[in-house]
Amino acid sequence: MSYASVPDTSFPHDESEPRAVYDAIRDELLLDGRSRLNLATFGTTWMEDEARLLMSETADKNLVDTDEYPQVADMEARCVRMLADLWHAPDPARATGCSTTGSSEAAMLAGLALKRRWEQRRRAAGRDTARPNIVAGANVQVCWKKFCSYFDVEARLVPLAPGRLHLTPDQLGQYCDERTIGVVGILGSTFDGSYEPIADLCLALDGIEHVTGHDIPVHVDGASGALVAPFIDPDLLWDFQLARVASINTSGHKYGQVFPGLGWALWRDADALPADLVHHVDYLGGEMNTFSLTFTRPASHVAAQYYTFHRYGREGLRRLHLASRRTARSLAAGIAELDLFELLTDGGQLPAFAFRLTDAAHALGLHERGIALAMRARGWQVPAYPLPTGLSGTWALRVVVRTGFTPRLAELFLDDLRHAAGTLAGAAVLTAAPLQEAEAAVTP
């Protein structure tokens, strides 16, 4: 039963020794990047040993089987109530929400609720339900494009512009109409870490309703920021305190300190979630209600989330996120001092920021992709990408600071970035000089 490699297209014929298979797979995984140096992801890459142990001990429990595993089911409900309290829901004790496999599923559930509520209002008024649309900035996460594609909703994505990296209230009047099922406001843009002005978006929609009669709800995509802002920006108005906010999603596996993948979807109250979207299940031995795009899931992520909420509390998460923001702002300031780079954001909202090469650096022949490749040679994963529609000619690099990315790692990153940029710039100058000499030699 020793382990022997087989072609990837063939299913193994024989058994193998457990340890031999483990060692072979573990060796192959050594070729992956080191997660702690992955500055591209918002996902949690560090957890305490106790949380890891709880995940291991509950991985065999099926979260949806509430009859067999009532304690885990109750922990999920407690987490929903805690989030409802954190986000100022009108009645946290009767919170309406659920866990999901991540913010993509949570966003789709919220989008489905927006669509169904719009359809119900239209039918009650004797109107058709064709051609629904949803409005968001072009910087919206790809899950919203998936939602529109999968569920037949028009995506009205507002282009970016110089000096405007996300959705602003002055744009809404051009895009919203009677067929708009909702506006998505992003609390923590994937592209640059900035918060969209949720309160101002709601105020603009109040004005639109006053003029047109169109009552358009807001969904807050707080995949990253909804578990950051309550702790380090407590005075920011963005959640259920705003009457127009109908639903919020977040990722427990981002700044909620849980390994991927865990999301949460919450609604203002039961009226915001149409009852016909919730399905009754009785074939697992008990009776339960479910609203999800998936079914069977391990209970491990909910157990870990329940642990992190109780382990850290408000003060602990405030401490962790403030430390991340300080590191992000300090690193951004250090990058801004390098002649070849300029900041797009500075880490002052999410502990994440975007930057780009200066025009002078581009004139030397440098490109953000080259910087990303040079940093990868040192183990750092830094994404290089074009900005969304409206600024697609602008490329950016992004750094996400999470728990576990220490000030010392930030110093090492800055040293490596300085070295990589300097090496590439020097090579560009050396390449350009012989070319200029050659051109002069052939010029009559």
Side-chain angles (χ1 to χ4, degrees):
M1 293 202 308
S2 61
Y3 177 73
S5 297
V6 295
D8 290 341
T9 55
S10 301
F11 197 92
H13 182 272
D14 299 319
E15 295 183 65
S16 298
E17 290 289 347
R19 187 69 197 191
V21 177
Y22 169 83
D23 287 341
I25 294 173
R26 188 169 183 270
D27 287 346
E28 184 173 338
L29 290 174
L30 291 174
L31 298 175
D32 278 344
R34 287 170 287 181
S35 61
R36 290 278 296 281
L37 301 185
N38 183 0
L39 304 185
T41 182
F42 285 88
T44 295
T45 56
W46 178 90
M47 287 177 64
E48 291 181 326
D49 290 341
E50 291 81 0
R52 290 171 177 258
L53 185 59
L54 278 172
M55 290 191 76
S56 175
E57 292 173 347
T58 53
D60 61 336
K61 295 186 177 184
N62 184 359
L63 181 63
V64 78
D65 191 350
T66 59
D67 187 64
E68 183 68 22
Y69 308 115
Q71 291 309 120
V72 172
D74 196 47
M75 287 181 183
E76 179 186 24
R78 291 178 218 164
C79 286
V80 168
R81 291 194 292 271
M82 283 188 271
L83 288 171
D85 173 60
L86 190 67
W87 298 338
H88 301 98
D91 188 1
R94 294 178 175 82
T96 300
C98 59
S99 68
T100 63
T101 53
S103 270
S104 290
E105 183 187 3
M108 291 190 193
L109 297 181
L112 283 170
L114 291 175
K115 184 182 181 186
R116 188 62 55 86
R117 287 178 66 198
W118 176 82
E119 290 171 340
Q120 291 173 348
R121 292 195 302 268
R122 296 280 293 184
R123 290 192 185 102
R127 299 177 179 177
D128 71 273
T129 58
R131 304 188 307 281
N133 68 74
I134 197 165
V135 175
N139 58 309
V140 76
Q141 214 268 356
V142 70
C143 66
W144 289 101
K145 298 176 183 179
K146 291 181 180 179
F147 165 74
C148 291
S149 175
Y150 299 165
F151 297 105
D152 198 22
V153 175
E154 178 191 356
R156 294 188 174 179
L157 304 182
V158 181
L160 308 187
R164 179 169 56 77
L165 299 179
H166 55 227
L167 184 64
T168 54
D170 55 296
Q171 307 293 311
L172 293 180
Q174 305 172 44
Y175 290 84
C176 294
D177 58 26
E178 65 174 346
R179 299 185 185 276
T180 301
I181 66 174
V183 169
V184 178
I186 307 171
L187 196 72
S189 171
T190 298
F191 289 91
D192 66 356
S194 63
Y195 294 159
E196 291 186 339
I198 307 299
D200 292 342
L201 296 177
C202 290
L203 189 61
L205 290 170
D206 289 343
I208 289 173
E209 181 179 7
H210 179 74
V211 173
T212 66
H214 305 327
D215 182 8
I216 301 172
V218 168
H219 172 79
V220 178
D221 185 344
S224 299
L227 281 173
V228 172
F231 306 108
I232 58 178
D233 300 303
D235 297 328
L236 183 67
L237 195 59
W238 66 272
D239 58 15
F240 290 126
Q241 294 178 90
L242 299 167
R244 197 166 288 276
V245 172
S247 50
I248 302 171
N249 71 274
T250 197
S251 292
H253 64 237
K254 292 182 179 176
Y255 288 100
Q257 310 297 309
V258 176
F259 286 150
L262 175 68
W264 298 94
L266 268 70
W267 287 266
R268 166 175 292 280
D269 49 37
D271 291 339
L273 177 59
D276 58 351
L277 289 175
V278 181
H279 294 269
H280 182 73
V281 175
D282 60 5
Y283 50 74
L284 290 178
E287 296 188 1
M288 61 206 73
N289 292 323
T290 177
F291 178 36
S292 67
L293 299 179
T294 62
F295 194 65
T296 297
R297 286 192 290 132
S300 51
H301 291 84
V302 167
Q305 184 75 93
Y306 191 65
Y307 169 87
T308 62
F309 283 174
H310 280 278
R311 161 66 178 89
Y312 295 111
R314 290 179 184 262
E315 287 304 311
L317 288 171
R318 173 178 168 79
R319 173 180 59 81
L320 292 179
H321 296 338
L322 278 177
S324 293
R325 179 181 280 180
R326 282 194 294 268
T327 300
R329 297 197 71 174
S330 176
L331 180 55
I335 291 173
E337 292 177 359
L338 303 179
D339 292 338
L340 295 174
F341 298 102
E342 61 184 25
L343 297 179
L344 297 174
T345 50
D346 66 359
Q349 293 181 317
L350 275 189
F353 61 92
F355 61 104
R356 65 183 292 268
L357 288 163
T358 63
D359 291 342
H362 287 142
L364 289 173
L366 273 65
H367 194 280
E368 284 77 9
R369 289 172 298 187
I371 297 295
L373 288 172
M375 293 298 286
R376 186 176 287 269
R378 285 285 291 164
W380 301 104
Q381 297 175 60
V382 185
Y385 49 87
L387 294 179
T389 304
L391 290 175
S392 56
T394 299
W395 280 66
L397 297 151
R398 189 193 66 228
V399 168
V400 179
V401 176
R402 308 174 305 278
T403 301
F405 186 72
T406 63
R408 177 55 182 158
L409 282 175
E411 291 176 4
L412 294 172
F413 175 87
L414 188 60
D415 286 343
D416 285 342
L417 181 64
R418 182 184 295 110
H419 177 75
T423 299
L424 291 175
V429 170
L430 288 174
T431 301
L435 285 174
Q436 292 169 359
E437 293 171 2
E439 289 173 354
V442 298
T443 301

